[in-house]
Amino acid sequence: MSRILLAATSVLMAASLVVAADWPNYRGPDSNTAVPAGDYPLDLTPDKNVVWRIDLPGEGTSSPIVLGDAIFLTSEVDGKDTVASYGLDSQPRWTKSLGPGAEAKHRNATGANPSPATDGERLFVYYKSGLLAALSLGGEELWRVNLQEQYGENTLWWDLGTSPVVTPAGVLIAVMQAGDSYLVTLDAATGEVAWKTPRQFDRPEESDQSYTTPIVADLPRGKTIVTFGADHLTGHDPLTGEQLFVCGGFNPNDEAMWRVIGSPTIGGDIAVVTYGRGEFMAGVKLAGSGDITETARLWTRQGVGADVPCPVIGGERVYQLGDKGVLTCLDLNTGETLRSSKLPRSRQAYYATPLMVGNWLYCVREDGEGHTLVAHDTAEILGEIDLGDDTVVTPVPVGHNRLLVRTRHRLYLFGKD
C-alpha cells in the first residue's frame, strides 16, 4: 500500500472518532455553520441562560472547537502563539505556548485568527507567524513546521484568515497571496509533506489574495477540496492535489482590491460564493472537469452579498447576512430573492457568520450584540444577544441544548439549565 493510501486510511480511521455532536473545525463538521433544531437558548445575555463564563488569559479571534467534553482554542498570550484546552465544566485542562507570534494589523484581528481542527486523535493549529503544529489531545507537541520559513514569506496585506482543514491525506493549508500561492497537505501523524501544488493566478493588485478556508466536499465525483480565492473557484483531489476543475469569471473587469474573505458554502453539489468586496454572489454547479467557467455558473446576483460573513444554506435556501445587517434569503438553485429584511440599525458591522439551528439564525455583531431570528418566511426577532465584549466568532453548538460563544477576552457557555 502506498504512503498516501496509508496516510488516508489513518486519517479516515481517526475521523471516525469525531461524532456528529462534535464541532471539530471552523464552521463545524459539514463546514456550513448549520445544525438541526434543538433545545437551544434564544437569549444570550449576561443575565440569561449563562451556565458559566471564564476570562481567557490572552486575546483571540478564532472559533473554539469541541470534541467530546473537551474545548480547544487558540490565543495570543504575551505575544506568543498559544493553544489551550478546557472542559465543558469550565475547568482548564492544559495550556501550551508555541513560540513568538505575529502582531495583527486589523483592529478586529489577532495573530490567532485561524481556528484549530481535529481528526479525533490530534489537534492542528495555525497562526499568522506561519506556524502549523500538531498536538495530542492532552497538549503534547507532536510536530511543527513554519510554512513561511519553508516556502516563503507571508505577503497578505492583512491578517491571516484561513484555517487548517482535515482531509483524507492529512491536514491542508491554503496559502493564497501575492506571489507564490499554493495548497499543501501534511501527513497528520508525522508532519511530512503528502503533496503540495501551486494555486497561482495572474490577477490585479490584491485580487490575488484570499482569507477563505477550503472545504472537503462530498460530491458525486467523490471527495473534493473546494477552494475560493484569486477570482477562481477550484477543485482538487484530496489525496494527490491534482486540480480537477477551475471556474473563473468572478472578476470580469479585472478590478483591483477584490480580495475575498468569506468562505464558500456548499449545498449538495452547488457552491455559493460572495465576492467583489461583498457586492456580488454566485451559485456554481460543482460538476465537470477542466475549465468549467462557461458551464458551471447557475446564477449571479449583485447587491446582496457580504464581504465577511459566509453564506448559510438550509435546504434549498441560502441565507446571506450582509456586513451592515441586511439579511437576504435566496433560492439555492436560481439565486432568486425570496425575502430581504434589515436587522436593527447599528454602526457596528457583522463579521461572524450566522449560526443556523433548525429554523433559527444567531446573528452577532462585532460589538458582541445581536439577535436570534426566525430564518424562514419572516425575520421575527426571537431573542437578544449581548456578550459585553467584541467578537467576530460564530456561536458553537454543544450537544442539542447549549451554545459555546467566544469573545476577544472571554468564553461563555449558554444553556437553558
Side-chain angles (χ1 to χ4, degrees):
M1 184 179 290
S2 72
R3 181 175 63 84
I4 287 182
L5 288 178
L6 279 169
T9 301
S10 174
V11 171
L12 288 172
M13 291 176 62
S16 67
L17 301 175
V18 178
V19 299
D22 295 325
W23 197 262
N25 49 261
Y26 173 63
R27 300 179 68 201
D30 297 319
S31 300
N32 62 357
T33 55
V35 294
D39 192 26
Y40 299 95
L42 291 170
D43 293 298
L44 310 180
T45 66
D47 58 350
K48 288 185 180 179
N49 302 314
V50 177
V51 178
W52 50 256
R53 187 198 92 171
I54 57 177
D55 294 326
L56 298 173
E59 296 186 354
T61 42
S62 62
S63 172
I65 64 171
V66 178
L67 182 68
D69 66 346
I71 302 164
F72 304 97
L73 54 82
T74 58
S75 301
E76 290 293 305
V77 180
D78 297 327
K80 295 182 178 180
D81 294 335
T82 305
V83 56
S85 178
Y86 296 83
L88 285 175
D89 59 359
S90 80
Q91 296 304 303
R93 294 188 172 179
W94 54 262
T95 299
K96 184 76 171 181
S97 177
L98 297 171
E103 187 177 353
K105 295 180 181 178
H106 195 279
R107 61 183 176 83
N108 289 105
T110 67
N113 283 348
S115 302
T118 181
D119 62 4
E121 288 188 345
R122 291 165 285 261
L123 181 69
F124 306 104
V125 292
Y126 184 46
Y127 300 87
K128 183 181 178 180
S129 64
L131 175 67
L132 172 64
L135 298 91
S136 72
L137 300 182
E140 177 188 2
E141 184 176 322
L142 304 176
W143 54 260
R144 67 163 60 200
V145 61
N146 190 298
L147 297 183
Q148 294 168 26
E149 295 176 359
Q150 194 84 11
Y151 301 119
E153 65 176 338
N154 169 28
T155 61
L156 290 168
W157 286 17
W158 294 98
D159 303 292
L160 199 69
T162 190
S163 295
V165 177
V166 173
T167 80
V171 56
L172 166 75
I173 297 292
V175 177
M176 295 176 282
Q177 58 183 10
D180 291 336
S181 298
Y182 55 89
L183 302 180
V184 62
T185 293
L186 283 73
D187 182 276
T190 67
E192 295 181 1
V193 175
W195 57 260
K196 178 176 177 287
T197 189
R199 193 186 183 279
Q200 193 78 35
F201 297 95
D202 184 15
R203 304 308 303 144
E205 188 177 32
E206 201 193 5
S207 294
D208 51 6
Q209 302 183 34
S210 174
Y211 303 85
T212 68
T213 297
I215 297 174
V216 180
D218 286 309
L219 301 179
R221 74 190 316 143
K223 288 188 180 298
T224 304
I225 296 170
V226 178
T227 309
F228 188 53
D231 301 329
H232 289 78
L233 185 72
T234 57
H236 287 78
D237 186 311
L239 295 181
T240 67
E242 176 190 1
Q243 182 177 285
L244 304 174
F245 64 79
V246 58
C247 182
F250 297 100
N251 190 352
N253 297 322
D254 286 339
E255 301 279 354
M257 318 302 180
W258 273 29
R259 80 292 178 273
V260 290
I261 299 175
S263 300
T265 303
I266 297 175
D269 60 354
I270 299 175
V272 179
V273 296
T274 65
Y275 58 101
R277 304 185 73 91
E279 181 65 16
F280 295 90
M281 290 185 71
V284 180
K285 186 84 166 180
L286 301 178
S289 301
D291 190 338
I292 62 173
T293 302
E294 300 300 325
T295 59
R297 186 76 65 97
L298 296 177
W299 51 266
T300 302
R301 292 295 310 277
Q302 184 172 1
V304 295
D307 195 23
V308 182
C310 307
V312 179
I313 297 176
E316 297 297 310
R317 298 184 178 190
V318 179
Y319 298 89
Q320 182 62 68
L321 176 62
D323 306 79
K324 296 181 179 180
V326 176
L327 180 65
T328 307
C329 175
L330 305 94
D331 184 278
L332 173 62
N333 296 286
T334 67
E336 175 189 1
T337 296
L338 304 177
R339 191 192 69 248
S340 180
S341 54
K342 293 183 178 181
L343 276 64
R345 292 187 62 180
S346 172
R347 294 182 179 180
Q348 305 297 319
Y350 288 85
Y351 286 92
T353 298
L355 170 67
M356 187 169 195
V357 175
N359 190 31
W360 300 346
L361 286 171
Y362 290 85
C363 303
V364 188
R365 292 194 311 256
E366 62 177 323
D367 60 355
E369 298 186 12
H371 300 86
T372 307
L373 312 172
V374 174
H376 301 338
D377 303 323
T378 69
E380 177 189 358
I381 294 177
L382 301 175
E384 300 295 323
I385 299 173
D386 184 0
L387 305 173
D389 191 20
D390 295 343
T391 187
V392 295
V393 181
T394 301
V396 170
V398 178
H400 302 288
N401 60 356
R402 290 176 291 174
L403 292 172
L404 188 67
V405 185
R406 194 253 179 91
T407 70
R408 195 175 184 95
H409 304 94
R410 301 169 188 157
L411 187 65
Y412 286 92
L413 185 68
F414 291 94
K416 289 185 176 180
D417 56 353

Short mmCIF file of all heavy atoms in Angstrom, two decimals, residues 352-394:
data_model
loop_
_atom_site.label_atom_id
_atom_site.label_comp_id
_atom_site.label_asym_id
_atom_site.label_seq_id
_atom_site.Cartn_x
_atom_site.Cartn_y
_atom_site.Cartn_z
N ALA A 352 -19.10 37.89 12.05
CA ALA A 352 -19.34 36.47 12.28
C ALA A 352 -20.42 35.94 11.34
O ALA A 352 -21.44 36.59 11.13
CB ALA A 352 -19.76 36.24 13.73
N THR A 353 -20.18 34.77 10.79
CA THR A 353 -21.21 34.08 10.01
C THR A 353 -22.34 33.65 10.94
O THR A 353 -22.07 33.17 12.05
CB THR A 353 -20.59 32.84 9.34
OG1 THR A 353 -19.56 33.27 8.45
CG2 THR A 353 -21.65 32.05 8.57
N PRO A 354 -23.60 33.82 10.55
CA PRO A 354 -24.69 33.37 11.41
C PRO A 354 -24.62 31.86 11.65
O PRO A 354 -24.18 31.10 10.78
CB PRO A 354 -25.95 33.73 10.62
CG PRO A 354 -25.52 34.78 9.66
CD PRO A 354 -24.09 34.47 9.33
N LEU A 355 -25.06 31.44 12.83
CA LEU A 355 -25.26 30.02 13.11
C LEU A 355 -26.72 29.69 12.84
O LEU A 355 -27.61 30.35 13.37
CB LEU A 355 -24.92 29.70 14.56
CG LEU A 355 -25.32 28.29 15.02
CD1 LEU A 355 -24.48 27.23 14.31
CD2 LEU A 355 -25.19 28.16 16.54
N MET A 356 -26.96 28.66 12.02
CA MET A 356 -28.33 28.24 11.73
C MET A 356 -28.65 27.00 12.55
O MET A 356 -27.96 25.98 12.47
CB MET A 356 -28.50 27.95 10.24
CG MET A 356 -29.94 27.67 9.87
SD MET A 356 -30.18 27.65 8.08
CE MET A 356 -31.98 27.76 8.03
N VAL A 357 -29.67 27.10 13.37
CA VAL A 357 -30.14 25.98 14.20
C VAL A 357 -31.58 25.71 13.84
O VAL A 357 -32.48 26.46 14.25
CB VAL A 357 -30.00 26.33 15.70
CG1 VAL A 357 -30.60 25.21 16.54
CG2 VAL A 357 -28.55 26.56 16.08
N GLY A 358 -31.82 24.68 13.04
CA GLY A 358 -33.17 24.43 12.59
C GLY A 358 -33.69 25.61 11.79
O GLY A 358 -33.20 25.92 10.71
N ASN A 359 -34.68 26.30 12.34
CA ASN A 359 -35.29 27.45 11.68
C ASN A 359 -34.87 28.77 12.33
O ASN A 359 -35.52 29.79 12.14
CB ASN A 359 -36.82 27.32 11.71
CG ASN A 359 -37.51 28.34 10.85
OD1 ASN A 359 -36.98 28.76 9.83
ND2 ASN A 359 -38.70 28.77 11.25
N TRP A 360 -33.78 28.75 13.11
CA TRP A 360 -33.31 29.95 13.77
C TRP A 360 -31.94 30.35 13.23
O TRP A 360 -31.16 29.51 12.79
CB TRP A 360 -33.15 29.74 15.29
CG TRP A 360 -34.40 29.35 16.01
CD1 TRP A 360 -35.69 29.42 15.56
CD2 TRP A 360 -34.46 28.81 17.33
NE1 TRP A 360 -36.55 28.98 16.52
CE2 TRP A 360 -35.82 28.59 17.63
CE3 TRP A 360 -33.51 28.50 18.29
CZ2 TRP A 360 -36.25 28.06 18.84
CZ3 TRP A 360 -33.92 27.98 19.50
CH2 TRP A 360 -35.28 27.77 19.77
N LEU A 361 -31.67 31.66 13.28
CA LEU A 361 -30.35 32.18 12.95
C LEU A 361 -29.85 33.03 14.12
O LEU A 361 -30.56 33.91 14.59
CB LEU A 361 -30.41 33.05 11.69
CG LEU A 361 -30.57 32.35 10.35
CD1 LEU A 361 -30.83 33.39 9.25
CD2 LEU A 361 -29.35 31.52 10.00
N TYR A 362 -28.65 32.73 14.58
CA TYR A 362 -27.99 33.55 15.60
C TYR A 362 -27.04 34.51 14.87
O TYR A 362 -26.07 34.07 14.24
CB TYR A 362 -27.21 32.68 16.58
CG TYR A 362 -28.07 31.85 17.48
CD1 TYR A 362 -28.54 30.61 17.08
CD2 TYR A 362 -28.41 32.29 18.76
CE1 TYR A 362 -29.33 29.82 17.91
CE2 TYR A 362 -29.21 31.52 19.61
CZ TYR A 362 -29.66 30.29 19.17
OH TYR A 362 -30.44 29.51 20.00
N CYS A 363 -27.32 35.81 14.95
CA CYS A 363 -26.56 36.83 14.23
C CYS A 363 -25.87 37.75 15.25
O CYS A 363 -26.56 38.44 16.01
CB CYS A 363 -27.48 37.64 13.32
SG CYS A 363 -28.40 36.64 12.11
N VAL A 364 -24.55 37.77 15.24
CA VAL A 364 -23.78 38.50 16.25
C VAL A 364 -22.92 39.57 15.58
O VAL A 364 -22.18 39.28 14.65
CB VAL A 364 -22.88 37.55 17.06
CG1 VAL A 364 -22.24 38.31 18.23
CG2 VAL A 364 -23.67 36.36 17.57
N ARG A 365 -23.01 40.81 16.08
CA ARG A 365 -22.20 41.91 15.56
C ARG A 365 -20.82 41.92 16.20
O ARG A 365 -20.55 41.23 17.19
CB ARG A 365 -22.88 43.25 15.84
CG ARG A 365 -24.15 43.51 15.08
CD ARG A 365 -24.52 45.00 15.18
NE ARG A 365 -24.48 45.50 16.54
CZ ARG A 365 -25.57 45.75 17.28
NH1 ARG A 365 -26.78 45.54 16.79
NH2 ARG A 365 -25.43 46.23 18.50
N GLU A 366 -19.95 42.80 15.66
CA GLU A 366 -18.59 42.91 16.16
C GLU A 366 -18.52 43.41 17.60
O GLU A 366 -17.53 43.16 18.30
CB GLU A 366 -17.76 43.81 15.26
CG GLU A 366 -18.27 45.24 15.18
CD GLU A 366 -17.37 46.14 14.33
OE1 GLU A 366 -16.14 45.97 14.38
OE2 GLU A 366 -17.92 47.00 13.62
N ASP A 367 -19.56 44.12 18.07
CA ASP A 367 -19.56 44.61 19.45
C ASP A 367 -20.13 43.60 20.44
O ASP A 367 -20.29 43.91 21.62
CB ASP A 367 -20.32 45.93 19.56
CG ASP A 367 -21.77 45.81 19.12
OD1 ASP A 367 -22.19 44.73 18.65
OD2 ASP A 367 -22.52 46.81 19.24
N GLY A 368 -20.42 42.38 19.95
CA GLY A 368 -20.94 41.34 20.83
C GLY A 368 -22.44 41.36 21.03
O GLY A 368 -22.96 40.58 21.81
N GLU A 369 -23.12 42.26 20.33
CA GLU A 369 -24.57 42.31 20.43
C GLU A 369 -25.19 41.74 19.15
O GLU A 369 -24.53 41.60 18.12
CB GLU A 369 -25.05 43.74 20.66
CG GLU A 369 -24.54 44.34 21.96
CD GLU A 369 -25.13 45.71 22.25
OE1 GLU A 369 -26.09 46.10 21.56
OE2 GLU A 369 -24.61 46.39 23.15
N GLY A 370 -26.46 41.40 19.22
CA GLY A 370 -27.13 40.85 18.05
C GLY A 370 -28.48 40.27 18.42
O GLY A 370 -29.06 40.61 19.46
N HIS A 371 -28.96 39.36 17.55
CA HIS A 371 -30.31 38.83 17.72
C HIS A 371 -30.41 37.39 17.25
O HIS A 371 -29.64 36.96 16.38
CB HIS A 371 -31.32 39.69 16.93
CG HIS A 371 -31.35 41.12 17.35
ND1 HIS A 371 -30.48 42.06 16.82
CD2 HIS A 371 -32.13 41.77 18.26
CE1 HIS A 371 -30.72 43.23 17.39
NE2 HIS A 371 -31.71 43.09 18.26
N THR A 372 -31.37 36.69 17.82
CA THR A 372 -31.77 35.38 17.32
C THR A 372 -33.05 35.58 16.51
O THR A 372 -34.00 36.21 16.99
CB THR A 372 -32.04 34.41 18.48
OG1 THR A 372 -30.91 34.39 19.35
CG2 THR A 372 -32.31 33.01 17.96
N LEU A 373 -33.05 35.07 15.28
CA LEU A 373 -34.14 35.35 14.34
C LEU A 373 -34.79 34.07 13.83
O LEU A 373 -34.16 33.01 13.79
CB LEU A 373 -33.60 36.11 13.12
CG LEU A 373 -32.70 37.31 13.32
CD1 LEU A 373 -32.15 37.76 11.99
CD2 LEU A 373 -33.47 38.44 13.98
N VAL A 374 -36.04 34.20 13.38
CA VAL A 374 -36.66 33.16 12.58
C VAL A 374 -36.05 33.23 11.18
O VAL A 374 -35.97 34.31 10.58
CB VAL A 374 -38.19 33.35 12.50
CG1 VAL A 374 -38.81 32.35 11.53
CG2 VAL A 374 -38.81 33.21 13.88
N ALA A 375 -35.61 32.11 10.65
CA ALA A 375 -34.96 32.12 9.34
C ALA A 375 -35.98 32.13 8.20
O ALA A 375 -35.92 32.95 7.31
CB ALA A 375 -34.04 30.91 9.21
N HIS A 376 -36.90 31.18 8.22
CA HIS A 376 -37.83 31.04 7.11
C HIS A 376 -39.00 32.03 7.22
O HIS A 376 -39.45 32.37 8.32
CB HIS A 376 -38.41 29.62 7.06
CG HIS A 376 -37.37 28.56 6.92
ND1 HIS A 376 -36.13 28.79 6.40
CD2 HIS A 376 -37.40 27.24 7.22
CE1 HIS A 376 -35.44 27.67 6.38
NE2 HIS A 376 -36.18 26.72 6.89
N ASP A 377 -39.47 32.46 6.06
CA ASP A 377 -40.72 33.21 5.92
C ASP A 377 -40.71 34.61 6.52
O ASP A 377 -41.12 35.57 5.89
CB ASP A 377 -41.90 32.41 6.49
CG ASP A 377 -42.03 31.05 5.83
OD1 ASP A 377 -41.79 30.98 4.60
OD2 ASP A 377 -42.33 30.08 6.53
N THR A 378 -40.25 34.74 7.75
CA THR A 378 -40.16 36.07 8.37
C THR A 378 -38.77 36.20 8.99
O THR A 378 -38.02 35.24 9.07
CB THR A 378 -41.21 36.26 9.48
OG1 THR A 378 -40.88 35.41 10.59
CG2 THR A 378 -42.59 35.94 8.97
N ALA A 379 -38.45 37.39 9.43
CA ALA A 379 -37.21 37.60 10.18
C ALA A 379 -37.56 38.05 11.60
O ALA A 379 -36.90 38.92 12.17
CB ALA A 379 -36.32 38.61 9.49
N GLU A 380 -38.59 37.47 12.16
CA GLU A 380 -39.04 37.83 13.50
C GLU A 380 -37.91 37.63 14.51
O GLU A 380 -37.23 36.60 14.53
CB GLU A 380 -40.22 36.97 13.89
CG GLU A 380 -40.73 37.20 15.31
CD GLU A 380 -41.77 36.18 15.74
OE1 GLU A 380 -42.13 35.32 14.91
OE2 GLU A 380 -42.20 36.25 16.90
N ILE A 381 -37.71 38.62 15.36
CA ILE A 381 -36.69 38.54 16.40
C ILE A 381 -37.22 37.72 17.56
O ILE A 381 -38.27 38.03 18.14
CB ILE A 381 -36.27 39.94 16.86
CG1 ILE A 381 -35.56 40.68 15.71
CG2 ILE A 381 -35.35 39.85 18.08
CD1 ILE A 381 -35.17 42.10 16.04
N LEU A 382 -36.49 36.67 17.93
CA LEU A 382 -36.90 35.78 19.00
C LEU A 382 -36.12 36.02 20.29
O LEU A 382 -36.63 35.75 21.38
CB LEU A 382 -36.70 34.32 18.57
CG LEU A 382 -37.45 33.87 17.31
CD1 LEU A 382 -37.04 32.44 16.96
CD2 LEU A 382 -38.95 33.96 17.53
N GLY A 383 -34.87 36.47 20.16
CA GLY A 383 -34.05 36.63 21.35
C GLY A 383 -32.98 37.67 21.15
O GLY A 383 -32.68 38.09 20.03
N GLU A 384 -32.39 38.11 22.27
CA GLU A 384 -31.36 39.14 22.26
C GLU A 384 -29.99 38.53 22.57
O GLU A 384 -29.89 37.56 23.32
CB GLU A 384 -31.69 40.22 23.29
CG GLU A 384 -33.01 40.92 23.06
CD GLU A 384 -33.03 41.72 21.77
OE1 GLU A 384 -31.99 42.32 21.42
OE2 GLU A 384 -34.08 41.76 21.11
N ILE A 385 -28.95 39.15 22.01
CA ILE A 385 -27.58 38.74 22.27
C ILE A 385 -26.81 39.95 22.78
O ILE A 385 -26.86 41.02 22.16
CB ILE A 385 -26.91 38.18 21.01
CG1 ILE A 385 -27.67 36.94 20.50
CG2 ILE A 385 -25.45 37.82 21.27
CD1 ILE A 385 -27.19 36.43 19.16
N ASP A 386 -26.13 39.81 23.90
CA ASP A 386 -25.32 40.88 24.46
C ASP A 386 -24.20 40.24 25.26
O ASP A 386 -24.39 39.81 26.40
CB ASP A 386 -26.15 41.80 25.35
CG ASP A 386 -25.35 42.98 25.87
OD1 ASP A 386 -24.16 43.07 25.54
OD2 ASP A 386 -25.92 43.81 26.60
N LEU A 387 -23.01 40.17 24.67
CA LEU A 387 -21.90 39.44 25.27
C LEU A 387 -20.97 40.34 26.07
O LEU A 387 -20.06 39.86 26.74
CB LEU A 387 -21.10 38.72 24.18
CG LEU A 387 -21.94 37.77 23.30
CD1 LEU A 387 -21.09 37.24 22.16
CD2 LEU A 387 -22.51 36.64 24.12
N GLY A 388 -21.15 41.66 25.95
CA GLY A 388 -20.33 42.57 26.73
C GLY A 388 -18.88 42.62 26.31
O GLY A 388 -18.02 43.09 27.08
N ASP A 389 -18.57 42.17 25.10
CA ASP A 389 -17.18 42.17 24.63
C ASP A 389 -17.20 42.01 23.12
O ASP A 389 -18.15 41.45 22.55
CB ASP A 389 -16.41 41.02 25.28
CG ASP A 389 -14.91 41.11 25.05
OD1 ASP A 389 -14.41 42.21 24.74
OD2 ASP A 389 -14.24 40.06 25.17
N ASP A 390 -16.17 42.49 22.45
CA ASP A 390 -16.10 42.37 21.00
C ASP A 390 -15.95 40.91 20.58
O ASP A 390 -15.32 40.10 21.29
CB ASP A 390 -14.91 43.15 20.45
CG ASP A 390 -15.05 44.65 20.66
OD1 ASP A 390 -16.19 45.10 20.92
OD2 ASP A 390 -14.05 45.37 20.55
N THR A 391 -16.49 40.58 19.41
CA THR A 391 -16.33 39.22 18.89
C THR A 391 -16.52 39.22 17.38
O THR A 391 -17.25 40.04 16.83
CB THR A 391 -17.32 38.25 19.54
OG1 THR A 391 -17.02 36.91 19.11
CG2 THR A 391 -18.76 38.56 19.16
N VAL A 392 -15.83 38.29 16.72
CA VAL A 392 -16.02 38.05 15.29
C VAL A 392 -16.29 36.57 15.06
O VAL A 392 -16.13 36.06 13.96
CB VAL A 392 -14.78 38.50 14.48
CG1 VAL A 392 -14.59 40.00 14.58
CG2 VAL A 392 -13.52 37.76 14.93
N VAL A 393 -16.72 35.88 16.12
CA VAL A 393 -16.80 34.43 16.12
C VAL A 393 -18.25 33.95 16.16
O VAL A 393 -19.07 34.45 16.93
CB VAL A 393 -16.02 33.85 17.33
CG1 VAL A 393 -16.08 32.34 17.34
CG2 VAL A 393 -14.57 34.31 17.29
N THR A 394 -18.56 32.96 15.34
CA THR A 394 -19.88 32.33 15.31
C THR A 394 -20.09 31.47 16.55
O THR A 394 -19.17 30.73 16.95
CB THR A 394 -19.99 31.44 14.06
OG1 THR A 394 -19.78 32.24 12.89
CG2 THR A 394 -21.36 30.78 13.98
#
